[in-house]
Amino acid sequence: MLEAIVDMPLNGRGARAEGRGLRAGNTRHPLNGGAPSGIVAPGAKWGAEPSAEEWPVAGTIDGSHGSPLGDVTPGNVHTLRVRWMYRTGDVSSGRDTISSTSFQATPLMVERTLYFPTPFGRVIALDAETGAERWTFDPRIDRSTRAQRFMTSRGVATWLDRSAPIESRCARRILVATLDARLIALDARTGRRCEGFGAGGEVNLRDGVRNIRPDRNDYRQTSPPTVVGDLVIVGSSITDNGRVESPSGVVRAFDARDGRLRWSWEPLVDLDTGRSGSGNAVRSGAANAWSSLSVDTLRNLVIVPTGSPSPDHWGALRPGPNRHANSVVALDATTGVLVWAYQLVHHDLWDYDLAAQPALADVHREGRVTPVVIAAAKTGYLFFLDRETGLPLFPVEEVPVPASDVPGERASATQPIPARPLPLVPTSLTPDDAWGITALDRRWCRDRIAGLRSEGVFTPPSLRGTVAFPGFIGGMAWGGVAVDAGRGLLVTNTNRVAGIITLVPKADRGQGSGSTIQLRTDSPQEGAPYGVRRELLLSPLGLPCNAPPWGTLVAVDMATGAVRWEVPLGSMRDLTPLADATEWGSVSLGGPLVTSAGLVFIGASMDRRLRAFDVQTGEQLWSAALPASAQATPMTYRATPGGRQFIVVAAGGHAAMGSALGDYLVAFALP
């Protein structure tokens, strides 16, 4: 449903817009050259009509979340208005038999059409100029709570068959990886299945995966596929802490025309022989890439961020560093052969997945230009890695960290800590750091921290409970970073809320799955002697026991690693009236968008706002009310030559975090 058309306020109502069929636009392929909008190409005439500018990948192919568009500037951003608003109808609080939802999608835009998935996996195509619905496709995922506790999908991908006539069916395809682990190819014009792809237009992604069990729904897809040439590459999302022998986190490439498997890469290395693969010595699974992948087209590399091996918080059955888990991995995009890998966390016991899409950038430093991969970690550290070798650009030291006090567990003796940039979030919490809005609140937090293990960021989980700070939400989560290449700046949002990880002996442990962010989750860790309890470290008043801000927006100088500015991001006033102060910030899920005009757009926070900041100073220049919180990353485009620049964001909230729910895709533009 479309509403709030043509610069009407958010609470306005407009006539339903209708539209069918896809108009083929004269647009360039996303990886081809061409002068970007907002920048005048050599020889171009001043005052020439600005060209269309597509957004062909949900998160950008290089993870930079940047756009060359600059029509919206620091001088006119205050005049942005809602142009149109579309409602999907797909939203649930999870209080009945329907799974809870979070609308985390970033649309892509090609040939004047927006494509995006809903939390229930339906794919929707809209006219990018008017928001009119073109078509919808429903993969008919089981929405019940018995199948899925929590539903989301962060985007779709597109592939253009350059060997086919442009008007032919399925010449352009929309590819969606569904929550129930299917890879489906759709005709971009009609939304109908491409029958020649796999079996009836889909590939069953559960086929051939090690440790898959037919009685479990612990293997799924939440991020968009990655398209490189004629290949469609997918990772997977695997339920945290359900069992030791979780499904393999294998990364696979399929033929974009017919769905044939072209290559696969196993992240876990055989513990006895050192060989990659599914040898008998590897009981552990996961180490999966559940975030978006990035592509270095010049070097033909796909950059894969991997997560923790299973189970997250008990590693005695997977001794050693578990290399290639919690790592940045560069694979040859054509063959899947490992080129290099760099591990950010050894023998992970904290659920410190590499959740953010790696960002590719060129760093100008000491008279030379170095192509790098930037990894924003849950630990709050940023790693800059040479794209050719995988070696750190800034020094990284193996620092001694606390040992485990749980019998049988052998935590890594050291962890890699970069000298620059310094951590973007606090990495320790002592009783003296306890915070509260009243003396009683503060004393309760101080006593609670004193009763837990709390010796810094890499304190292992324990039977009495361990402070995890940064928490398992992550210092930097899946929203990633935005790169302003012209100004040499990187911008990211951070979370600063501590958690508690407690190992629970088998006889005492609860049941269930900890796959979503809630105040407390109990997970069985089947096959291990301990289950795990995870909870946020909150006072009796429901506020964090660590001092605010609880979320920030940070800019880092990529040449020096120095923090250029830092400001609180959002508020938690919509969650509790006690957190009314804007300067306290908010937990955020979703990421930033940066434009050539020097603006950073971001929703992500728990309140219902979209904001714009000056990328050079961090000054907030604009904010607009949203009908629900935006746990998603915004995108921008110009649909037609001479048309307006649009800023689009999904506003649907996050049921598991208690933020305001909705089903809105909101498009802003200048009057």
Side-chain angles (χ1 to χ4, degrees), residues 30 40 190 220 276 508 583:
V40 178
T190 65
R220 55 181 65 89
S276 293
D508 303 331
E583 66 270 16

Side-chain angles (χ1 to χ4, degrees), residues 167-455:
E167 300 295 329
S168 63
R169 190 162 181 262
C170 290
R172 179 177 288 281
R173 301 181 178 194
I174 300 302
L175 298 140
V176 57
T178 63
L179 200 62
D180 58 2
R182 290 176 287 158
L183 180 61
I184 302 175
L186 306 173
D187 176 39
R189 295 177 181 277
T190 65
R192 296 173 183 166
R193 291 172 179 263
C194 298
E195 297 295 334
F197 183 85
E202 68 178 54
V203 172
N204 185 348
L205 295 175
R206 292 172 62 91
D207 289 346
V209 176
R210 179 171 60 87
N211 291 349
I212 283 284
R213 281 174 46 176
D215 62 331
R216 293 297 185 93
N217 294 310
D218 54 358
Y219 184 87
R220 55 181 65 89
Q221 305 286 331
T222 55
S223 292
T226 299
V227 173
V228 185
D230 294 337
L231 297 179
V232 185
I233 305 172
V234 294
S236 61
S237 178
I238 295 172
T239 301
D240 288 343
N241 303 312
R243 52 193 173 109
V244 170
E245 296 179 343
S246 286
S248 163
V250 61
V251 178
R252 290 175 290 175
F254 297 88
D255 192 292
R257 288 186 175 84
D258 58 25
R260 287 182 297 115
L261 179 65
R262 295 281 292 274
W263 57 255
S264 62
W265 176 78
E266 288 275 356
L268 289 180
V269 175
D270 187 291
L271 300 178
D272 288 339
T273 67
R275 296 191 304 268
S276 293
S278 54
N280 293 330
V282 180
R283 289 186 61 197
S284 182
N288 50 304
W290 59 266
S291 187
S292 295
L293 316 182
S294 295
V295 179
D296 182 337
T297 55
L298 180 63
R299 294 166 181 82
N300 194 40
L301 297 177
V302 56
I303 311 297
V304 180
T306 65
S308 57
S310 64
D312 287 345
H313 305 296
W314 174 252
L317 300 178
R318 47 174 174 87
N322 311 144
R323 57 193 178 96
H324 301 164
N326 305 90
S327 297
V328 181
V329 178
L331 304 178
D332 183 286
T334 304
T335 65
V337 171
L338 177 69
V339 177
W340 57 258
Y342 189 86
Q343 190 172 56
L344 277 58
V345 179
H346 308 320
H347 191 74
D348 183 15
L349 299 173
W350 305 270
D351 190 20
Y352 282 152
D353 297 341
L354 181 48
Q357 180 185 12
L360 310 186
D362 290 337
V363 173
H364 298 257
R365 179 171 174 263
E366 298 176 355
R368 58 175 296 190
V369 178
T370 305
V372 298
V373 177
I374 303 168
K378 278 188 175 183
T379 55
Y381 293 104
L382 282 173
F383 290 80
F384 287 70
L385 306 176
D386 189 301
R387 223 180 303 164
E388 295 278 359
T389 64
L391 297 176
L393 181 67
F394 300 112
V396 173
E397 182 181 357
E398 287 289 335
V399 176
V401 294
S404 174
D405 61 2
V406 180
E409 180 63 85
R410 296 185 64 182
S412 176
T414 65
Q415 293 290 348
I417 306 295
R420 286 182 285 166
L422 296 176
L424 301 187
V425 300
T427 56
S428 66
L429 185 66
T430 69
D432 290 340
D433 299 322
W435 181 89
I437 58 174
T438 69
L440 290 175
D441 215 33
R442 189 161 52 254
R443 182 180 308 139
W444 187 96
C445 286
R446 184 172 61 248
D447 292 345
R448 183 76 170 105
I449 296 168
L452 301 167
R453 279 201 74 180
S454 187
E455 303 161 45

Side-chain angles (χ1 to χ4, degrees), residues 10 80-84 610 622 624-626 645-649 666-670:
L10 276 169
L80 275 179
R81 297 291 184 271
V82 174
R83 171 65 175 172
W84 54 259
L610 179 66
W622 170 85
L626 295 171
Q645 178 185 359
F646 286 86
I647 312 291
V648 174
V649 69
V666 185
F668 293 87
L670 297 175

Side-chain angles (χ1 to χ4, degrees), residues 25-28 35-38 49-55 68-69 109 111-112 637-644:
N26 184 23
T27 52
R28 67 181 188 266
S37 301
E49 183 178 76
S51 63
E53 184 66 39
E54 297 186 333
W55 187 272
L69 288 175
M109 195 286 285
E111 297 175 346
R112 306 183 187 182
Y637 60 86
R638 183 186 292 117
T640 59
R644 288 190 278 188

Side-chain angles (χ1 to χ4, degrees), residues 549-573:
W550 299 313
T552 66
L553 191 66
V554 185
V556 174
D557 187 311
M558 293 191 295
T560 66
V563 171
R564 181 75 65 85
W565 52 259
E566 178 181 277
V567 296
L569 176 63
S571 79
M572 289 165 57
R573 63 167 61 94

Side-chain angles (χ1 to χ4, degrees), residues 565 567 612-622:
W565 52 259
V567 296
F613 296 84
D614 187 308
V615 74
Q616 298 193 88
T617 66
E619 179 187 0
Q620 182 176 306
L621 301 176
W622 170 85

Side-chain angles (χ1 to χ4, degrees), residues 78-122:
H78 66 281
T79 65
L80 275 179
R81 297 291 184 271
V82 174
R83 171 65 175 172
W84 54 259
M85 183 162 57
Y86 178 88
R87 301 192 66 177
T88 70
D90 290 2
V91 60
S92 170
S93 66
R95 294 196 180 102
D96 49 23
T97 58
I98 303 299
S99 301
S100 65
T101 58
S102 181
F103 191 13
Q104 299 178 4
T106 298
L108 63 83
M109 195 286 285
V110 291
E111 297 175 346
R112 306 183 187 182
T113 304
L114 284 167
Y115 301 93
F116 64 95
T118 73
F120 291 153
R122 291 194 309 125

